[in-house]
Amino acid sequence: MKLGVNIDHIATIRQARGTDYPSILDAATLAEQAGADSITLHLREDRRHMQDHDLYTLKPLLKTKMNLEMAATNEMLAIALDVLPEDVCLVPERREERTTEGGLDVVKQFQQIKEITTTLKAAGIRVSLFIAPDKEQVDASHELGAPVIEIHTGHYANLTDLTLQKAELEKIQLITTYADEKGLVVNAGHGLHYTNVQNIAKIQQINELNIGHAIVAKAIFIGWEKAIQLMQQCIRESQN
């Protein structure tokens, strides 16, 4: 199972003081050296952490691949077509949220998402849709031609009641199997950390986990590279 390291919150620290440090490039380079399989970053419409120039700086220098999270808007589409990341993950976005909460409603936004997906695919960009673990959303994602989905694990991660958490985990397992059988590549992420990633990592059909905030938080105490390697260790040990 691959690990995509999200570096958004390195940029959050930088933007808090309006400095040019900590360096986004250093964060990405060291993450790759520590074994990250991809670098994930979200260019939000309000530019609260990542900035446009970050994408242009990183793209030619990454050794793995860029996974650009973005809203399904014409502005973001134009930027993606200019930067040409290897992957684009379309996500829902609301200005008032602290982080991305919930998945895309592919069913209701079918035509808009299909048009953007088709345009990105024509440019050679692999498209992923960030969705809740829901059969209708999987069907719609498959129908419009997205090759990849990313299952939103935030609800599972936030639950403290063990019975409810188990039920949500079983839902994720069932939907992952269903999507895999339809030929979709399945990634997962959101809210995963060092003590809840294990059950998700046991789901064999998941291709990649995208994790950021927990790694950045752990890095404060043990260092960036060690925090990434510890997360990889958690994933590997869960699969044995």
Side-chain angles (χ1 to χ4, degrees):
M1 188 175 293
K2 298 175 184 177
L3 174 63
V5 175
N6 187 313
I7 60 172
D8 287 347
H9 295 299
I10 300 292
T12 298
I13 297 170
R14 178 191 65 186
Q15 296 305 114
R17 294 292 292 268
T19 61
D20 59 2
Y21 63 86
S23 166
I24 296 303
L25 178 57
D26 286 352
T29 300
L30 291 171
E32 290 184 325
Q33 291 175 3
D37 296 291
S38 63
I39 301 299
T40 295
L41 57 155
H42 184 174
L43 184 66
R44 294 186 71 105
E45 292 179 279
D46 61 9
R47 308 305 198 269
R48 68 177 65 171
H49 36 62
M50 285 295 165
Q51 305 301 305
D52 298 45
H53 64 80
D54 293 323
L55 278 61
Y56 290 95
T57 299
L58 287 175
K59 180 59 178 67
L61 299 175
L62 292 179
K63 305 298 183 184
T64 55
K65 64 175 182 176
M66 177 183 288
N67 176 35
L68 173 61
E69 295 181 343
M70 67 180 212
T73 66
N74 290 332
E75 178 200 14
M76 292 299 154
L77 175 62
I79 293 171
L81 293 175
D82 196 34
V83 176
L84 293 176
E86 286 78 9
D87 289 2
V88 159
C89 182
L90 297 179
V91 301
E93 192 170 310
R94 294 181 300 135
R95 295 293 174 87
E96 66 271 19
E97 66 189 2
R98 289 186 178 181
T99 184
T100 305
E101 302 297 347
L104 280 172
D105 193 335
V106 185
V107 176
K108 288 186 178 180
Q109 298 175 280
F110 185 88
Q111 194 57 41
Q112 177 189 2
I113 295 173
K114 181 178 180 180
E115 290 173 3
I116 291 178
T117 297
T118 300
T119 302
L120 290 169
K121 287 172 65 179
I125 299 170
R126 190 175 72 152
V127 181
S128 173
L129 303 183
F130 189 69
I131 62 172
D134 178 87
K135 184 176 180 293
E136 287 188 356
Q137 299 299 334
V138 171
D139 288 340
S141 300
H142 182 261
E143 184 181 347
L144 64 74
V148 186
I149 60 169
E150 181 167 338
I151 298 295
H152 183 285
T153 54
H155 186 50
Y156 156 81
N158 291 334
L159 287 169
T160 55
D161 183 290
L162 294 181
T163 300
L164 294 177
Q165 188 182 67
K166 182 181 177 182
E168 183 67 14
L169 177 64
E170 289 173 352
K171 183 194 297 185
I172 292 171
Q173 291 171 323
L174 287 171
I175 292 300
T176 299
T177 299
Y178 178 73
D180 179 70
E181 290 172 349
K182 293 183 77 71
L184 292 167
V185 174
V186 183
N187 297 335
H190 200 78
L192 298 177
H193 52 68
Y194 293 88
T195 58
N196 69 10
V197 71
Q198 287 78 4
N199 288 327
I200 298 296
K202 290 177 183 177
I203 304 174
Q204 295 182 356
Q205 296 92 339
I206 293 178
N207 170 67
E208 182 173 274
L209 297 178
N210 287 304
I211 304 175
H213 184 265
I215 298 175
V216 174
K218 180 66 75 173
I220 294 172
F221 302 102
I222 68 172
W224 181 232
E225 293 160 282
K226 287 183 179 179
I228 292 168
Q229 291 163 351
L230 180 59
M231 182 60 75
Q232 291 173 314
Q233 180 182 337
C234 290
I235 294 170
R236 284 195 304 269
E237 290 178 352
S238 301
Q239 297 180 307
N240 293 332

